Amino acid sequence: DAGITQSPRHKVTETGTPVTLRCHQTENHRYMYWYRQDPGHGLRLIHYSYGVKDTDKGEVSDGYSVSRSKTEDFLLTLESATSSQTSVYFCAISGPGQGPKGRPQHFGDGTRLSIL
Amino acid sequence: DQQVKQNSPSLSVQEGRISILNCDYTNSMFDYFLWYKKYPAEGPTFLISISSIKDKNEDGRFTVFLNKSAKHLSLHIVPSQPGDSAVYFCAATTQGGSEKLVFGKGTKLTVNP
């Protein structure tokens, strides 16, 4: 199993509060990703990182920010959580490239976030 | 707009039979395709992939077929087993660069004993 740990695994919080989710990897992979999974939408990319302090937006980045100060950690922050951000959040990592010579993204087990 | 489409939300097959999961894409720049399997309360796990330079890739019971002209790929599982019951996601990317994956919405496969 790829060494990916997401924390917390479950969280319930209130609208308007800040929330930070953590993804920690032990694989020393360059790329890290945050996705959310919602019924009827599959997996949608929120933000990704291609190196320390190098991040970019994904498909559904509004309301989210990320930081990567170390290779092994990628943080996802909801500055002011809203009920629409209730979801299951997955972190993924990948090595150099995803083609035949690369390595596909491997996922953590997710964080179930409920915003009341 | 959805670039990767899995038009069947669910599929039910008998144990021992073939399962065929389908996926269509619209972006002609995609050149690498992957299938992931997901069990409840777990993260997706990589299953099999195919490059656009091939039209078939096989790994044990799993075979992925790619038809570039139709922008269509399919995953065949034969023989299907009850443990294959899961949600299957098709994903696509363009090699090089950020390696971002674009996922379909998934197909829930149920294999009945």
Side-chain angles (χ1 to χ4, degrees):
Chain A
D1 277 355
I4 309 170
T5 304
Q6 289 188 234
S7 58
R9 292 294 315 278
H10 303 272
K11 187 173 182 66
V12 180
T13 190
E14 295 184 347
T15 301
T17 59
V19 177
T20 295
L21 308 182
R22 181 182 184 236
C23 178
H24 179 78
Q25 62 145 327
T26 58
E27 305 295 318
N28 201 33
H29 282 346
R30 177 183 178 188
Y31 291 99
M32 299 185 75
Y33 310 81
W34 277 107
Y35 293 87
R36 59 179 288 175
Q37 185 194 9
D38 304 290
H41 288 280
L43 288 144
R44 294 181 293 173
L45 182 66
I46 304 171
H47 281 280
Y48 65 99
S49 170
Y50 44 96
V52 173
K53 297 186 179 178
D54 291 324
T55 64
D56 206 347
K57 297 179 179 180
E59 177 188 356
V60 290
S61 59
D62 287 348
Y64 301 95
S65 63
V66 290
S67 66
R68 191 168 178 200
S69 58
K70 298 184 290 184
T71 298
E72 57 266 35
D73 288 324
F74 192 32
L75 303 180
L76 177 70
T77 297
L78 292 65
E79 300 290 347
S80 178
T82 67
S83 58
S84 65
Q85 293 175 311
T86 292
S87 186
V88 181
Y89 291 85
F90 289 100
C91 173
I93 64 174
S94 69
Q98 301 206 55
K101 296 182 180 179
R103 301 173 67 174
Q105 288 184 25
H106 287 276
F107 286 77
D109 283 334
T111 294
R112 184 172 294 275
L113 178 62
S114 297
I115 301 165
L116 308 178
Chain B
D1 220 2
Q2 223 184 328
Q3 299 184 71
V4 177
K5 301 178 184 179
Q6 293 178 258
N7 292 320
S8 298
S10 62
L11 174 67
S12 182
V13 299
Q14 286 299 120
E15 181 178 4
R17 299 291 189 100
I18 185 171
S19 296
I20 300 176
L21 296 96
N22 294 303
C23 179
D24 297 295
Y25 62 97
T26 58
N27 188 340
S28 58
M29 297 300 292
F30 289 146
D31 58 5
Y32 193 62
F33 305 89
L34 307 90
W35 285 94
Y36 282 82
K37 177 170 73 173
K38 186 184 180 303
Y39 294 118
E42 294 183 10
T45 56
F46 170 72
L47 195 57
I48 192 169
S49 62
I50 188 166
S51 168
S52 59
I53 61 173
K54 295 186 174 182
D55 54 18
K56 176 183 175 181
N57 189 27
E58 197 170 353
D59 184 1
R61 297 186 297 112
F62 303 91
T63 302
V64 56
F65 295 92
L66 175 62
N67 182 334
K68 283 190 298 181
S69 61
K71 293 190 176 69
H72 176 83
L73 62 155
S74 60
L75 174 68
H76 293 212
I77 307 172
V78 55
S80 300
Q81 300 172 353
D84 295 329
S85 297
V87 177
Y88 289 78
F89 290 100
C90 170
T93 188
T94 304
Q95 293 181 64
S98 65
E99 307 288 351
K100 293 186 292 183
L101 292 180
V102 179
F103 283 85
K105 294 182 179 182
T107 297
K108 183 177 182 180
L109 173 66
T110 302
V111 180
N112 301 301

